[in-house]
Amino acid sequence: MFSRLIIGCMRWGIWGSNLNKNQTSQLIETCIEEGFTSFDHADIYGDYTTEALFGSALEDMKLDRTQIQLISKCGIVLKNETNIKHYNYDFDYIVKSVEQSLKNLHTDYLDMLLLHRPSPLLNPEVVAEAFQKLKNDGKVKSFGVSNFSTTQFELLNQFVNLETNQIEISATEPKAFFDGTLDQVMSKNLSPQAWSVLGNYFSNENKNLTEIVKSLAEKHNVEEDLILLSFILKHPSKILPIVGTTNIKRIKNYNKAFDIKLNTEDWFKILEASRGKEVE
Ligand SMILES: NC(=O)c1ccc[n+]([C@@H]2O[C@H](COP(=O)([O-])OP(=O)(O)OC[C@H]3O[C@@H](n4cnc5c(N)ncnc54)[C@H](OP(=O)(O)O)[C@@H]3O)[C@@H](O)[C@H]2O)c1
């Protein structure tokens, strides 16, 4: 249903590269040319403005809607003059948030809606009613969650059919390999989605990790970001990485990651350098 690499749009607008409409269209076009037809959004990206930036470019491009897949999220309410930051999974809030996303994105439906973060106040019966309405109205094709623990996933999954858990996974944040979240998604024959797949590799230097990744980049004759991607891709759960770059050159390079076959020991070298200790 989704392309083997998902394009994350969090940094496209004012939370990052501040692309204009032409640059946005160009980037969408490049992604599609590379076969990356799935785009990950959230209502809040760019302080609620990035979906509209993407949507205005999409409107002008006159693409066949079935050529691309759109994911969005709801549930986080950002702080403003009148309210503190909090989560909201009330029936009306979910439905209205999706309707606003559809308007912003200039589309009739989302391919997938995710609940952005778990909330202690989330009532699974209410969420199930909201999902049912959105599905019946043809506004959302499938549903999932993001950043849910295994028990939070299991509870909601008793009421609705969840199709993914979108979680943080990278060489510098490998906890999902051990905390059961990947096992759970895999056991249901679903594809997990991974955000921030490069982790803080480029911003927070870990000398040992850098050394290993650089040597593997040399061994496979590719750039370091591709080694970080191949680290994720080696996991048997068939993780769908979500990449956040807005750099056209990097996007054009990413298909190479699928040809890199890290051997098992090299995979563990990355893990060991990241965690600063060997496996037990
Ligand atoms: N569900 C959630 O809670 C959640 C949370 C966070 C993110 N997400 C989703 O995941 C997507 C990806 O997250 P992310 O943006 O953190 O992903 P990422 O792909 O790990 O990081 C992208 C960042 O790394 C930089 N970068 C990429 N390659 C580089 C290189 N070779 N050298 C130096 N810098 C490099 C990019 O800068 P350039 O643009 O200059 O390449 C960009 O700033 C988001 O867009 C969003 O859709 C979801």
Side-chain angles (χ1 to χ4, degrees), residues 7 10 15 18 20 39 44 48 51 60 77 79 83 86 88 97 106 117 142 145 178 183 210 223 234 236 244 250 257:
I7 301 296
M10 183 179 75
W15 281 6
N18 209 2
N20 63 32
F39 296 88
I44 57 169
Y48 302 96
E51 284 184 330
D60 285 1
V77 185
K79 180 180 173 173
N83 58 259
H86 61 286
N88 191 337
S97 176
H106 285 277
R117 296 254 165 202
S142 65
V145 291
F178 303 98
D183 307 336
T210 305
E223 295 70 14
K234 190 171 173 66
R250 295 203 221 284

Side-chain angles (χ1 to χ4, degrees), residues 8 10-11 40 146-147 166 195-198 244-246 250:
M10 183 179 75
R11 300 176 196 267
D40 182 69
S146 183
N147 306 302
Q166 185 182 112
W195 58 265
S196 285
V197 282
L198 306 178
T245 188
T246 53
R250 295 203 221 284

Side-chain angles (χ1 to χ4, degrees), residues 6-12 17 39-42 45 73 76 114-117 145-147 166-170 194-203 223-226 228-229 242-248 250 254:
I6 297 175
I7 301 296
C9 300
M10 183 179 75
R11 300 176 196 267
W12 287 32
S17 301
F39 296 88
D40 182 69
H41 287 272
Y45 289 168
K73 317 184 193 78
I76 300 178
L114 304 179
L115 303 186
H116 207 153
R117 296 254 165 202
V145 291
S146 183
N147 306 302
Q166 185 182 112
I167 48 184
E168 183 177 16
I169 315 174
S170 66
W195 58 265
S196 285
V197 282
L198 306 178
N200 61 14
Y201 178 84
F202 291 107
S203 55
E223 295 70 14
E224 290 155 80
D225 49 355
L226 298 192
L228 297 170
L229 271 176
I242 310 173
V243 292
T245 188
T246 53
N247 181 316
I248 284 184
R250 295 203 221 284
Y254 280 158

Side-chain angles (χ1 to χ4, degrees), residues 77-95:
V77 185
L78 294 180
K79 180 180 173 173
N80 65 20
E81 312 77 50
T82 54
N83 58 259
I84 61 161
K85 186 175 182 184
H86 61 286
Y87 304 138
N88 191 337
Y89 292 114
D90 293 348
F91 178 92
D92 285 345
Y93 186 86
I94 295 173
V95 171

Side-chain angles (χ1 to χ4, degrees), residues 10 63 70 78 85 107 118 139 165 186 204 228 275:
M10 183 179 75
L63 289 174
L70 297 176
L78 294 180
K85 186 175 182 184
T107 187
K139 291 177 177 167
N165 194 359
M186 195 175 170
N204 183 14
L228 297 170
R275 302 204 297 180

Side-chain angles (χ1 to χ4, degrees), residues 89-126:
Y89 292 114
D90 293 348
F91 178 92
D92 285 345
Y93 186 86
I94 295 173
V95 171
K96 286 206 171 94
S97 176
V98 169
E99 285 170 349
Q100 189 60 47
S101 289
L102 296 180
K103 210 166 147 196
N104 291 340
L105 290 164
H106 285 277
T107 187
D108 298 333
Y109 68 92
L110 294 176
D111 292 276
M112 184 175 265
L113 173 72
L114 304 179
L115 303 186
H116 207 153
R117 296 254 165 202
S119 167
L121 298 183
L122 184 154
N123 180 336
E125 287 179 5
V126 172

